Amino acid sequence: MDFSSRFSSIVLLLLISISIASGEIRKSEIRSDDRPIIPLDEFGFTHTGRLELDASKISLSNTNPDLDLSKVGFFLCTRDAWVHVIQQLEEEEITCALQSDLVKHVFTFNNLKGDKSRFSTVFTENDADQYSLVFANCLQQVKISMDVRSAMYNLEGKKGGRDYLSAGRTVLPKVYFFFSVIYFSLAATWIYVLYKKRLTVFAIHFFMLGVVVLKALNLLCEAEDKSYIKKTGTAHGWDVLFYIFNFLKGITLFTLIVLIGTGWSFLKPYLQDKEKKVLMIVIPLQVVANFAQVVIDETGPYGQDWVTWKQIFLLVDVVCCCAVLFPIVWSIKNLREAAKTDGKAAVNLVKLTLFRQYYIVVICYIYFTRVVVYALETITSYKYMWTSVVASELATLAFYLFTGYKFRPEVHNPYFVVDDEEEEAAAEALKLEDEFEL
């Protein structure tokens, strides 16, 4: 392999090692592919790990009987081991990843017998660790086509039942179900609040209820999705419901942040043109992000466009996160300008403080769920990968609670009486504050 191929290979394996693959039964179709390294899946094995690997319709573009087929095959490799394999290749200690003593051979094509267009094997893995299943083709300019079915699982209990969820993710069905119960409880509580405060309820409050309900349904479907994968290796259609509710939840959440940032319905009954443009940007981008997420999850890293879709998803998500901040900043600036002209410094100071707090909380929420959680996935042991999910869900729950509490239905009389001292103090506070910039 040349340097560019080696670099691409290590990037691919690092990307798959921090992906959210569940380890379910995966079917991969490889067509006329001459890549030296094709990552297929990743899984955290316990001491009772198993890999079932089936390949059919195997064909090589070059049928020369002198080809060294021991340089073509499947192997398992940990992330740390792969870094050393790359080093061995660079130092020319080996010429093919399959020659390294740091990888575990699952099947090489020189062992094909009889019908050489297919094979089936079961590999036992007793060394607990996080492994990537990789296909290597070290034959120059030889393209390979085949259909691959891989099933990785751990045996658990005295009866040896199969657990198709990666070690460290096997508790996720319970985690998602627990949080779904919390959100359904929040939805019920919010309905009670809206009923009690029905005289001061705005349209945004019903929209907030919808976001919470969609979040609860999304978590419930994800719990069922992971539960069926854990038991059978397939989602039995729950993944479709998960994608639907995940799509709706993503769009409504970003829309809610924009609407709250503009003060829609509780400060003003309309959206300005620039605020509508933000929504026109955010909503289509969320459609693209969700489509990219489906492609990433369903195709797996063996696809040649997998890394491209991964980059598209990350880029679109960052753009959406940045876009939703602008309406909040615009509202803050408008409140500052209004405070100088309408003579209601005390009222505007309260509103200004609220929007500044919300701006900071939105930034913290975005930073934590996009950066800190990503870092946790990278540095946490594979046995505790569930902790990054819990951290993300706790941060999201805290954000929902803050938003609901701060923007709950309340009697806000803009003409309440304030004494001169309070008004003067508020006016001075507004004068002393620095300009709030993005």
Side-chain angles (χ1 to χ4, degrees), residues 21-172:
S22 302
E24 68 267 26
I25 297 173
R26 188 178 293 278
K27 296 180 180 179
S28 312
E29 295 182 359
I30 298 173
R31 295 291 180 264
S32 299
D33 203 322
D34 60 355
R35 285 178 291 170
I37 291 293
I38 303 177
L40 296 173
D41 207 351
E42 55 91 26
F43 194 79
F45 287 109
T46 63
H47 293 290
T48 57
R50 298 289 186 275
L51 163 62
E52 293 180 358
L53 185 65
D54 301 281
S56 59
K57 300 180 182 178
I58 301 173
S59 64
L60 281 67
S61 61
N62 188 337
T63 57
N64 188 335
D66 294 330
L67 289 175
D68 184 3
L69 295 182
S70 66
K71 292 184 177 181
V72 183
F74 298 86
F75 66 86
L76 289 173
C77 186
T78 64
R79 189 195 312 181
D80 292 338
W82 182 248
V83 173
H84 292 294
V85 171
I86 294 295
Q87 185 177 359
Q88 288 178 330
L89 290 168
E90 290 177 346
E91 296 175 355
E92 298 184 350
E93 295 179 16
I94 57 175
T95 58
C96 179
L98 287 165
Q99 296 173 339
S100 174
D101 56 357
L102 299 175
V103 304
K104 298 188 177 186
H105 290 201
V106 176
F107 190 88
T108 51
F109 280 20
N110 60 309
N111 292 317
L112 288 171
K113 302 184 185 302
D115 184 0
K116 295 189 176 183
S117 66
R118 64 183 304 119
F119 74 85
S120 180
T121 185
V122 178
F123 184 84
T124 300
E125 181 54 72
N126 295 322
D127 296 327
D129 208 333
Q130 184 91 350
Y131 289 89
S132 292
L133 174 63
V134 184
F135 175 74
N137 173 19
C138 300
L139 299 178
Q140 296 292 329
Q141 298 179 341
V142 174
K143 297 181 179 180
I144 294 182
S145 299
M146 60 181 168
D147 294 340
V148 180
R149 177 188 179 276
S150 61
M152 293 188 278
Y153 55 88
N154 295 308
L155 300 178
E156 58 178 9
K158 295 182 179 179
K159 295 183 180 180
R162 297 184 177 186
D163 183 355
Y164 287 92
L165 280 183
S166 176
R169 298 187 182 275
T170 188
V171 299
L172 286 184

Side-chain angles (χ1 to χ4, degrees), residues 189-207:
T189 303
W190 193 248
I191 291 174
Y192 174 76
V193 171
L194 296 184
Y195 176 76
K196 293 290 288 185
K197 305 283 187 178
R198 55 188 178 276
L199 297 179
T200 57
V201 169
F202 295 100
I204 192 69
H205 295 124
F206 291 105
F207 196 89

Side-chain angles (χ1 to χ4, degrees), residues 388-401:
S388 61
V389 175
V390 172
S392 177
E393 292 302 333
L394 285 175
T396 303
L397 178 61
F399 177 71
Y400 276 56
L401 288 173

